[in-house]
Amino acid sequence: IKKHERFAGTAVVVVANEADQAAERFGDNSDAIIQGPISGDGLRDAINEALDGKDIGWARGSANRVAVAASRALSQLAANSIYVGTALDSLACQLNRSDDISIPAANALAAGGSVNQLGNLANAVLESGNSDDLRIACAHAVGAILGRSQQDVPAELLDPMLAAVADSGNADGVRTAIATALGKARLAPGNRLKLVESLRTVGSAE
């Protein structure tokens, strides 16, 4: 990548299970090589090492660019079933940032998140000021976590999410994503009835 002039200042971090072999192969063309499997903290440390002392004119935008890179990298790692558990809470805290950071974070949580991140994800789903793409990504993550955990939706989240399904002010894609997410939980009979009634309300409104 550094052979191209436009990428000459780009920091390159290589994650490899065989760090020594990676160093032989990529050492001259990389800024940091770290041993895999990698934790979230290890990834952040490696990125910080790669960027240390580089004059790439980021100024105020530097933290944002690092966050984008870390969020995307963690999303890819989680999608490949690589453990990112130590970074889950940090990822959940990225959901109120710009879409280029928050959507990969949501995708990573969909792949490897736990019930501990449901509150952050639900808040992002319910925030009408967020983009539809982010809300849908977070709803998908909620459904993935509920499906893995095979438990009911926490009581404090169920009614607001059902209300969002019934709210015609929300985009159809958002409402569908929320309903699908709730449907993946092991709902108690009464809660399942609430979901059915919410969907019936949507159908009658349309």
Side-chain angles (χ1 to χ4, degrees):
I1 187 171
K2 292 192 175 184
K3 293 180 180 178
H4 298 279
E5 182 178 349
R6 62 180 296 191
F7 297 119
T10 301
V12 176
V13 178
V14 176
V15 181
N17 289 333
E18 300 293 339
D20 291 340
Q21 294 181 16
E24 292 179 5
R25 182 174 180 183
F26 302 110
D28 292 339
N29 297 308
S30 65
D31 297 277
I33 296 174
I34 53 178
Q35 179 72 47
I38 182 174
S39 68
D41 291 337
L43 179 63
R44 287 193 297 272
D45 291 344
I47 290 177
N48 288 336
E49 179 184 343
L51 299 179
D52 184 42
K54 289 189 174 294
D55 182 14
I56 50 180
W58 283 7
R60 184 177 295 178
S62 61
N64 188 68
R65 297 193 188 188
V66 172
V68 169
S71 190
R72 290 177 178 174
L74 287 166
S75 177
Q76 186 62 47
L77 291 169
N80 289 328
S81 301
I82 296 174
Y83 180 70
V84 295
T86 58
L88 294 177
D89 289 339
S90 294
L91 285 166
C93 292
Q94 306 306 310
L95 299 175
N96 61 351
R97 302 184 69 173
S98 59
D99 280 5
D100 54 352
I101 298 172
S102 56
I103 290 177
N107 292 340
L109 291 172
S114 72
V115 294
N116 294 331
Q117 290 82 48
L118 281 177
N120 296 74
L121 287 164
N123 288 339
V125 170
L126 297 172
E127 175 51 64
S128 61
N130 287 337
S131 70
D132 290 345
D133 287 342
L134 174 58
R135 298 178 74 188
I136 290 170
C138 289
H140 173 69
V142 168
I145 291 171
L146 290 172
R148 283 195 298 273
S149 67
Q150 283 297 288
Q151 66 180 53
D152 204 344
V153 181
E156 68 274 15
L157 302 181
L158 180 62
D159 287 343
M161 295 189 77
L162 288 173
V165 172
D167 186 355
S168 61
N170 290 322
D172 289 345
V174 172
R175 299 163 77 187
T176 299
I178 298 171
T180 300
L182 296 176
K184 292 182 178 180
R186 180 173 286 180
L187 294 172
N191 289 340
R192 188 165 294 278
L193 179 60
K194 286 183 178 181
L195 176 58
V196 171
E197 289 296 328
S198 180
L199 293 171
R200 186 176 299 166
T201 300
V202 172
S204 63
E206 294 175 352

